[in-house]
Amino acid sequence: MSLHLTRLTVKDQFRLHQTIGATLIGGKTPLAAWSFPAHYIWKELFGYFLAELDGWVCLFATYDDGIYMPLPPLGPRAGVGASTAHPLQHVFRQVMDWMNDKNKGSRVTRIENIPGELKEEIGTWGYHLTPKDSDYLYCTADLVALKGNPYKSQRAAYNKFLKSHRLRLGPYHALDRDNCLALFQRWVHQKEEIPLSRRTPDEEVARLMMRDSAKAHRVVLNEYRELGLTGRVLWVDGSIRGYTFGFPRSREVFCVLLEVADRSVYGLSHYLFREFCREFHQYPFINTMDDSGLPSLARAKRAYHPCRMVENYIAQPA
């Protein structure tokens, strides 16, 4: 089997969005990875390519170790009838075999971000499925209200910050880019200021991941309009001390794609997150994506009491 791969560009956003929406599971799963921005912003670290196979749209990602699929095959393409389109199981096997050949049988071959709803069925096809970091899904009303004892600490931090500073939260503009990039670097350095003797292996991993994410943040700050992202900048006492971006994942779910908040200002992150969620209260749920397997990030996200951990799996040849 041969596949014709074309490099993913921002012009493919509408096509991929429509295909995801038309896919039975894609229209239902709240997983943030089932979206265009979640992958495109990493284009400087991975090479992304599209291919079509029997009416199914396939997204591939390449890096030094080989090639894999960050999403299952999507489709079949509108207009391809059941008589001509192969079922998912057949397409799944074809792309797995093709990647396995390209990767010379290495463990790089995989299909990621398989929703929990598909786990049992795909498991019966003979593939090995392992859990991937789950997405954190919250009830928007809870994040806006911060009511009761479960949100006591967040409410206190928010109120103290609100009373202690001159604030202005507004739309992100291209003119804010350099200030936001400078804030990002300061944010990373604040993490690095932890003495070596107190750094855990997880914190070292987090530091390296933040450095890698610099390229993704730059893509967002430069191409937010093309990606349909909503960005907000928080001015504190006359300078930019926080920014955040997000997008609608579906009619029910709004996804917070990224957030940077000056670690030296107590309550800043609580304020920025709450106000951003308040702005999108019409969406019943907020998805803050996964925790990348980092305990410190997991603790911070669990503290906001997710209403659901959205299961996510990786399929590999058995």
Side-chain angles (χ1 to χ4, degrees):
M1 183 192 76
S2 63
L3 285 175
H4 175 64
L5 273 61
T6 59
R7 185 170 289 276
L8 185 75
T9 72
V10 74
K11 294 180 181 179
D12 294 309
Q13 180 173 203
F14 180 75
R15 176 191 179 192
L16 202 64
H17 176 75
Q18 290 292 96
T19 305
I20 288 173
T23 302
L24 181 61
I25 293 296
K28 295 180 179 179
T29 179
L31 284 172
W34 282 62
S35 67
F36 184 87
H39 302 287
Y40 181 82
I41 66 172
W42 297 99
K43 65 176 182 174
E44 294 186 21
L45 291 175
F46 298 89
Y48 287 99
F49 298 87
L50 287 175
E52 189 167 312
L53 177 62
D54 298 323
W56 295 76
V57 175
C58 302
L59 177 65
F60 294 94
T62 62
Y63 62 122
D64 291 344
D65 291 342
I67 187 168
Y68 73 100
M69 291 186 70
L71 285 176
L74 306 169
R77 174 171 52 84
V80 177
S83 60
T84 59
H86 291 285
L88 177 61
Q89 180 179 357
H90 183 65
V91 176
F92 215 89
R93 179 180 60 80
Q94 286 185 292
V95 293
M96 277 288 199
D97 289 345
W98 183 82
M99 288 189 294
N100 207 36
D101 180 62
K102 292 290 182 183
N103 293 324
K104 303 185 186 304
S106 79
R107 295 295 292 170
V108 172
T109 299
R110 64 191 187 275
I111 299 178
E112 295 191 353
N113 296 304
I114 294 173
E117 295 88 341
L118 285 176
K119 177 194 175 187
E120 184 174 345
E121 181 179 1
I122 292 175
T124 65
W125 301 345
Y127 297 102
H128 179 63
L129 279 90
T130 54
K132 194 173 183 283
D133 297 323
S134 299
D135 279 8
Y136 288 74
L137 194 71
Y138 306 86
C139 293
T140 309
D142 292 342
L143 300 181
V144 173
L146 295 182
K147 287 184 178 179
N149 198 56
Y151 296 99
K152 182 179 179 180
S153 62
Q154 292 94 334
R155 195 166 58 247
Y158 174 96
N159 290 333
K160 183 173 182 179
F161 175 76
L162 188 62
K163 295 175 182 177
S164 304
H165 303 277
R166 292 182 293 108
L167 311 174
R168 177 163 63 88
L169 182 64
Y172 168 82
H173 299 289
L175 290 175
D176 299 322
R177 184 192 62 178
D178 290 347
N179 285 331
C180 287
L181 289 172
L183 171 62
F184 177 86
Q185 293 302 324
R186 187 161 64 251
W187 182 66
V188 172
H189 291 156
Q190 287 170 343
K191 186 70 173 179
E192 294 177 336
E193 288 173 356
I194 299 173
L196 286 173
S197 60
R198 289 173 49 198
R199 286 185 191 173
T200 66
D202 292 323
E203 287 170 335
E204 189 66 15
V205 170
R207 183 182 66 84
L208 294 174
M209 290 178 67
M210 284 193 298
R211 285 199 169 274
D212 282 344
S213 69
K215 294 179 179 179
H217 280 245
R218 189 178 294 274
V219 171
V220 169
L221 294 170
N222 285 330
E223 301 185 51
Y224 69 102
R225 284 197 185 95
E226 293 87 340
L227 293 172
L229 302 177
T230 297
R232 294 292 178 263
V233 173
L234 180 57
W235 294 77
V236 181
D237 300 326
S239 62
I240 292 178
R241 307 296 285 273
Y243 65 84
T244 185
F245 286 84
F247 63 92
R249 167 61 192 88
S250 67
R251 292 181 179 179
E252 293 78 32
V253 180
F254 187 85
C255 177
V256 179
L257 181 63
L258 57 85
E259 177 187 294
V260 170
D262 191 324
R263 303 173 193 274
S264 68
V265 184
Y266 177 74
L268 190 155
S269 61
H270 301 83
Y271 177 88
L272 182 59
F273 182 53
R274 184 184 190 183
E275 293 306 310
F276 199 48
C277 293
R278 190 194 306 277
E279 187 172 346
F280 297 97
H281 63 88
Q282 69 270 32
Y283 294 89
F285 302 101
I286 297 290
N287 183 330
T288 64
M289 308 181 74
D290 61 35
D291 56 34
S292 300
L294 300 173
S296 58
L297 185 56
R299 286 193 297 272
K301 293 195 174 190
R302 284 197 300 265
Y304 276 92
H305 307 288
C307 60
R308 177 185 169 191
M309 299 297 294
V310 187
E311 293 182 346
N312 197 4
Y313 293 90
I314 301 171
Q316 292 179 292

